[in-house]
Amino acid sequence: MQTTDTSPAEGSAPEDGTPLKRAIGTKLMILFVIGDILGTGIYATTGKVAGKIGGALWVPFAIGFVVALLTAASYVELVGKYPRAAGAALYTQKAFKVPFLTFIIAFMVMCSGLSSASAAARAFSGDYLQEFVDIPPTLISILFILALASLALRGVSESVKTNVVLTLVELTGLVVILSIGAWAVVTGEGEPSRLGDFHTDGSGYALLTGVLGATALAFFAFVGFEDSVNMAEETKNPAHTFPRAIFLGVTVTGTVYVLVGFVSSLLVDYKVLETSSGPLLEVVKASGLDFPPKLFALIALFAVTNSALINIMMASRLCYGMANERILPRGMARVLPRRRTPIVGILFTTAIAVGLVSTGEIEGLGDTTAFLLLCVFAVVNVAVLVLRRDRVPHAHFRTPTALPVFGAITAVILASPLADRAADVYIRAGVLLAIGIGLWGVNKLVLRARGE
């Protein structure tokens, strides 16, 4: 059930008493969700997905679309019940009341956002930028992260409005790809036989793990809708706004992704796509239309910029929410008085992003993002069922019980070794979790020293 006029009016106040500003309405949130999902995943990892599965590139995106919808339904119910900034960490704590688990989930979400921003930074400095200049990619990636952090410090209104502009630009790029595909179909160009080609090492079990591995990586393109719940304290009437924004955002982007997969495979051999960090640029170059490759490369740079900006924003809001819940020291909730932005959270998450940007390439960072979030999604889907016994005084959306059940099962399968992901993904995730456990211990000591 939804309501259009009943939800908590304000979020929890931070340590210094300055609440976040409610500045985001339904239309702006819809564009925010679409802009958050679109970007690095489809612009940069399409080729890597093709390398795992072959010409049937659209299949992993179609499966990922279904998995995303299952978990999105759980998030919509939970953010309607608890419209606060901490997201998955808040839901985990309310459902299981195990502080250590809450911290690990929160830390995994934060790290997933930062590894996603790092993947975007790597994509920015790759083949798309190389159409214009030849500059060391690591240096560009670091400067890129620092520039976006500066924008996030200016304020949520400025950041979200920038997101709207960048979203429209990246949508234009995908419309170009779809137009190229429509032209290819009309003129008989391309190779339709590739669309059903599964290039995996064998059949049966090998085919299953190949498809699951490609789907797990393709799922990176869908992450982002969960970021939006961390904007709950800056959204007008969240119980009404979020169901429309998340469901419409996932549906629009999922449809676009499947169609882009069709077009990419139709026009370009998967071996060419696999070797490129700018796979959609290869589609433009292979088309029969006279569309300037440099112009498309510029559009793609805007697209990956949008992804990184939103992830930097969301990670900082998560720090703010965790600090308010006493999962991190309360100082992390400090808000810049004039701009009313979480300054400490932004500085902290930016430092981690700068460190992560040198730990891997696009595929590894993207798969790390997907793995961490799939683990989180499994917990969130269980949490929504546990929290059915918790009643709230305002009306909100309620998802059919079967959806979170299937959502948890699919998330666990895609996070498991059945997905045939590289070992470095598990190693990177393990190191991040080890850091998180260390931070947990430090925070416990601080709280004990304060007598809390």
Side-chain angles (χ1 to χ4, degrees):
M1 177 178 180
Q2 297 181 33
T3 179
T4 59
D5 55 32
T6 309
S7 66
E10 289 294 339
S12 56
E15 181 183 24
D16 61 5
T18 306
L20 297 178
K21 182 180 179 180
R22 290 192 181 274
I24 306 172
T26 301
K27 293 180 180 179
L28 199 57
M29 180 55 70
I30 290 172
L31 284 172
F32 184 90
V33 173
I34 292 175
D36 200 358
I37 300 174
L38 292 178
T40 304
I42 194 66
Y43 275 91
T45 62
T46 300
K48 305 306 178 184
V49 175
K52 286 178 172 287
I53 198 168
L57 175 57
W58 59 275
V59 173
F61 288 108
I63 300 173
F65 179 22
V66 174
V67 175
L69 276 177
L70 294 173
T71 299
S74 293
Y75 270 99
V76 169
E77 176 172 337
L78 290 169
V79 75
K81 290 180 72 172
Y82 315 109
R84 296 168 63 185
L90 174 64
Y91 313 145
T92 301
Q93 179 61 24
K94 284 187 171 294
F96 306 108
K97 304 186 186 307
V98 180
F100 180 73
L101 176 62
T102 300
F103 179 81
I104 291 299
I105 290 298
F107 193 79
M108 290 175 78
V109 172
M110 186 188 72
C111 288
S112 71
L114 297 176
S115 62
S116 179
S118 298
R122 280 294 187 182
F124 185 92
S125 63
D127 288 348
Y128 292 122
L129 185 63
Q130 299 307 313
E131 283 288 309
F132 303 97
V133 294
D134 183 12
I135 302 177
T138 301
L139 174 61
I140 291 297
S141 298
I142 293 174
L143 293 176
F144 176 78
I145 292 290
L146 294 176
L148 294 183
S150 298
L151 178 59
L153 277 171
R154 287 191 58 82
V156 65
S157 179
E158 289 82 355
S159 298
V160 173
K161 288 175 182 176
T162 300
N163 162 256
V164 170
V165 174
L166 295 178
T167 295
L168 295 175
V169 172
E170 66 188 358
L171 277 172
T172 300
L174 295 177
V175 168
V176 169
I177 296 298
L178 297 182
S179 299
I180 287 173
W183 177 258
V185 171
V186 170
T187 59
E189 295 182 11
E191 187 57 57
S193 63
R194 284 198 290 255
L195 298 176
D197 176 28
F198 289 86
H199 180 76
T200 58
D201 297 327
S203 59
Y205 179 79
L207 177 61
L208 173 64
T209 57
V211 172
L212 290 176
T215 300
L217 181 56
F219 195 73
F220 170 54
F222 287 95
V223 301
F225 65 85
E226 79 289 343
D227 281 341
S228 65
V229 304
N230 290 309
M231 303 298 289
E233 293 187 40
E234 295 167 274
T235 301
K236 302 172 184 176
N237 200 355
H240 169 67
T241 298
F242 277 97
R244 295 183 180 185
I246 293 180
F247 284 133
L248 185 58
V250 173
T251 299
V252 168
T253 53
T255 302
V256 169
Y257 284 174
V258 172
L259 292 175
V260 169
F262 267 111
V263 174
S264 301
S265 185
L266 180 68
L267 292 175
V268 184
D269 186 85
Y270 79 90
K271 293 180 181 178
V272 176
L273 293 171
E274 181 182 12
T275 59
S276 175
S277 61
L280 299 190
L281 185 60
E282 300 297 333
V283 176
V284 172
K285 291 179 178 179
S287 72
L289 299 180
D290 189 21
F291 191 90
K294 287 186 181 296
L295 177 57
F296 186 84
L298 183 62
I299 292 172
L301 290 175
F302 278 117
V304 298
T305 297
N306 200 28
S307 296
L309 172 62
I310 294 175
N311 277 292
I312 290 292
M313 288 173 60
M314 291 311 99
S316 64
R317 267 62 182 183
L318 179 57
C319 280
Y320 168 88
M322 288 195 302
N324 277 338
E325 293 295 320
R326 297 299 183 94
I327 301 171
L328 287 177
R330 289 280 284 173
M332 297 293 290
R334 188 168 300 279
V335 174
L336 194 63
R338 184 165 175 265
R339 291 289 179 180
R340 295 175 70 178
T341 52
I343 181 172
V344 178
I346 290 172
L347 295 177
F348 178 69
T349 52
T350 298
I352 295 179
V354 170
L356 275 174
V357 81
S358 60
T359 65
E361 299 301 322
I362 295 171
E363 181 177 357
L365 290 169
D367 210 357
T368 300
T369 302
F371 170 72
L372 290 170
L373 281 180
L374 285 166
C375 293
V376 171
F377 289 172
V379 174
V380 168
N381 279 303
V382 174
V384 75
L385 298 174
V386 173
L387 289 170
R388 288 283 169 83
R389 64 194 178 195
D390 184 27
R391 303 293 182 179
V392 294
H394 60 275
H396 61 85
F397 174 88
R398 180 184 171 99
T399 184
T401 301
L403 299 189
V405 172
F406 284 116
I409 293 171
T410 54
V412 169
I413 290 174
L414 290 176
S416 74
L418 285 173
D420 193 31
R421 58 175 47 87
D424 70 288
V425 172
Y426 293 109
I427 293 173
R428 185 179 296 109
V431 170
L432 289 172
L433 283 178
I435 293 172
I437 292 171
L439 288 175
W440 167 260
V442 170
N443 188 56
K444 290 290 287 184
L445 290 175
V446 170
L447 292 176
R448 185 175 300 172
R450 294 177 177 177
E452 299 180 15

